[in-house]
Amino acid sequence: MNALWMPFTANRRFKSDPILFEEGHGMHYVLSDGRRILDSTAGLWCVNAGHGRDRITDAIADQARRLQYISTFQVGHPRAFEFAERLADLAPGDLDHVFFTNSGSESVDTALKMALAYHRALGQGGRTRLIGRERGYHGTGFGGISVGGIGAHRRPFGNLLSSVDHLPHTYNHAEQAFSRGEPAWGAHLADDLIRLIQLHDASTIAAVIVEPVAGSTGVLAPPVGYLKRLRDICDEHGILLIFDEVITAFGRLGHAFAAQRFGVQPDIVTCAKGLTNGAVPMGAVIAGRKVHEAIVQGPINNIEFSHGYTYSGHPLACAAGIATLDIYQEEGLFARCAALESYWADCVHSLKGHPVIRDIRTIGLLAAIELVPRPNGPGLRAYECMQRALASGLMVRSSGDQIVLSPPLIIEKEQINFICETLSEVFAGLD
Ligand SMILES: Cc1ncc(COP(=O)(O)O)c(C=O)c1O
């Protein structure tokens, strides 16, 4: 086991008691010892259409037989254009221009660079400041950790990007505990952007980036009116608004994009994960018309945006992505999520009352169950909970002292019941 240095993992702990997954079908994983495990995490928030979908497998295999690789620098292939058009059709408003990457982290860095290039193209090259938010997660590139707001992801890595500031996070236990959907309290926290504008001057600020629902930090839905307020302040001061929808896009909140659920139009959206149902690594940035038009101009021989990745628009990823969108559309999975939301919330909130639970938050097919930390070891209670759930046939994700749930959108009500019954037994057995 020694050769593999595992990401975001307590390597020595894992390797002392490893657990290996061999197969995935529908809602289930199969372990190397043959046990079936219900997946309430959609992989890592990505397998929205469930595991092992034949249609995606066939599309990848078919593409691999015809063309496995061509760059999209100065040349192209039909699947990349087709997939981009499908995404532009799905994205709200004038988000019409798709730039392919290989991950959420690359999407975030790409979006930040687009924002800087946009202002420079408009003659406002002084707008270089980027505003993120405390508790935000935007992947692991230097751009993403700079605007991100999770201390442990930033502290070991030095100075990061200069000219970054952060809005406060939107969570307040006293005001919002056991929330379903958007909490009523907290829209005023968006006004902190005005404080940052007064501090730095709008002429130095390029963009604000937020997750519409902060996922990795533990499912923090935006307070009612908060995103609209951010949008208004950005508009008033010529600042771009970027939604990082790496988790929230592709049905997780009952719509193609969270922007549609909350009725707020960003200037740029980032996505990944559910884009290909996790089958092939891929991310995308979808830019609004004004951003694209400002940058893509000048002499026709100009490379307008000096940015891209060897695997941007990879043929296998595009084939997987088109097949994924076909499944989402034909099976109506976004609407399915919306239809299940209140059943899901009722079921997860029924766990309230276990003494180890400090808070429960739900929105769409997302949930976080926050546990009271053990005095002798933060994070240990949730980790033990994850292990016990696994022993009972259920995969959950532990993050700090939280259990985070984000099942595939194909989940059935009996499977939701199984998740909650299993967790209830696990919580009852935890000291
Ligand atoms: C909101 C958000 N942005 C970016 C990322 C990074 O994505 P990746 O791990 O594909 O680089 C994640 C991953 O969870 C995410 O949740």
Side-chain angles (χ1 to χ4, degrees):
M1 297 231 132
N2 222 15
L4 180 62
W5 190 346
M6 297 168 73
F8 276 122
T9 297
N11 273 255
R12 287 157 300 158
R13 178 170 70 182
F14 178 87
K15 289 168 189 174
S16 69
D17 185 18
I19 172 161
L20 300 180
F21 292 72
E22 289 281 356
E23 292 180 25
H25 306 285
M27 283 296 301
H28 290 86
Y29 284 118
V30 183
L31 302 184
S32 44
D33 62 12
R35 273 185 297 147
R36 273 162 56 85
I37 305 287
L38 185 92
D39 178 16
S40 74
T41 66
L44 202 48
W45 332 77
C46 45
V47 186
N48 290 2
H51 294 275
R53 299 299 307 250
D54 287 341
R55 186 163 185 163
I56 300 174
T57 312
D58 293 345
I60 296 168
D62 184 48
Q63 180 62 45
R65 274 189 287 270
R66 283 184 291 144
L67 175 69
Q68 293 185 0
Y69 182 77
I70 174 83
S71 151
T72 53
F73 296 6
Q74 315 278 8
V75 286
H77 66 93
R79 293 283 98 73
F81 290 94
E82 182 187 347
F83 191 29
E85 195 169 336
R86 293 279 299 272
L87 289 167
D89 287 347
L90 204 57
D94 71 352
L95 291 168
D96 284 343
H97 299 281
V98 179
F99 194 102
F100 286 121
T101 70
N102 307 292
S103 66
S105 299
E106 288 181 359
S107 294
V108 166
D109 281 13
T110 300
L112 298 177
K113 287 172 77 172
M114 261 179 203
L116 299 174
Y118 163 80
H119 289 294
R120 193 177 159 86
L122 295 184
Q124 299 192 28
R127 285 189 183 259
T128 55
R129 197 176 306 279
L130 301 164
I131 308 289
R133 190 168 60 186
E134 293 169 345
R135 296 189 67 168
Y137 182 64
H138 301 291
T140 50
F142 273 101
I145 57 172
S146 300
V147 293
I150 298 181
H153 299 176
R154 299 163 48 90
R155 283 192 296 267
F157 305 116
N159 292 332
L160 313 186
L161 287 188
S162 56
S163 297
V164 170
D165 212 333
H166 291 78
L167 293 164
H169 65 74
T170 61
Y171 182 62
N172 180 310
H173 185 261
E175 299 286 350
Q176 300 169 338
F178 298 96
S179 59
R180 293 170 62 126
E182 300 161 80
W185 182 93
H188 65 280
L189 295 169
D191 293 341
D192 216 71
L193 183 55
I194 297 172
R195 181 184 67 79
L196 295 180
I197 290 168
Q198 282 164 354
L199 192 64
H200 300 296
D201 200 80
S203 66
T204 69
I205 303 177
V208 170
I209 179 166
V210 291
E211 303 161 84
V213 171
S216 294
T217 191
V219 185
L220 305 180
V224 176
Y226 173 90
L227 293 173
K228 167 91 176 47
R229 186 85 191 104
L230 273 190
R231 176 72 275 180
D232 291 346
I233 300 169
C234 285
D235 283 346
E236 218 172 292
H237 296 276
I239 298 168
L240 293 179
L241 180 61
I242 304 171
F243 278 179
D244 183 350
E245 295 230 26
V246 166
I247 286 176
T248 53
F250 307 111
R252 185 56 53 201
L253 301 179
H255 295 262
F257 292 87
Q260 291 152 323
R261 173 169 177 143
F262 298 122
V264 176
Q265 181 71 18
D267 299 299
I268 302 176
V269 155
T270 59
C271 57
K273 295 192 187 271
L275 179 63
T276 59
N277 204 40
V280 180
M282 189 181 217
V285 180
I286 314 179
R289 210 167 297 142
K290 80 173 178 192
V291 173
H292 181 260
E293 278 173 10
I295 298 174
V296 181
Q297 43 88 16
I300 194 166
N301 290 330
N302 257 10
I303 292 178
E304 303 97 348
F305 187 47
S306 289
H307 178 74
Y309 303 94
T310 299
Y311 301 118
S312 286
H314 192 281
L316 302 190
C318 290
I322 292 166
T324 298
L325 292 191
D326 287 341
I327 294 176
Y328 291 154
Q329 274 162 1
E330 284 170 24
E331 297 183 8
L333 289 185
F334 305 163
R336 189 165 198 287
C337 170
L340 280 171
E341 177 166 346
S342 76
Y343 190 87
W344 169 253
D346 286 346
C347 202
V348 180
H349 279 280
S350 74
L351 294 165
K352 184 178 176 183
H354 279 284
V356 291
I357 294 181
R358 180 172 184 267
D359 192 10
I360 298 176
R361 302 179 286 277
T362 58
I363 185 164
L365 275 179
L366 282 174
I369 303 167
E370 193 171 324
L371 306 183
V372 181
R374 286 204 178 116
N376 60 345
L380 287 181
R381 190 171 262 144
Y383 185 73
E384 188 181 324
C385 174
M386 181 189 93
Q387 287 202 307
R388 288 187 183 209
L390 211 47
S392 303
L394 174 66
M395 170 90 172
V396 300
R397 183 166 148 66
S398 77
S399 165
D401 268 299
Q402 306 181 88
I403 297 299
V404 182
L405 307 172
S406 59
L409 311 180
I410 58 167
I411 192 167
E412 299 289 346
K413 286 185 176 169
E414 306 76 63
Q415 293 166 327
I416 295 178
N417 297 343
F418 173 77
I419 293 172
C420 295
E421 284 157 15
T422 306
L423 281 177
S424 185
E425 283 165 24
V426 168
F427 291 143
L430 283 183
D431 56 34

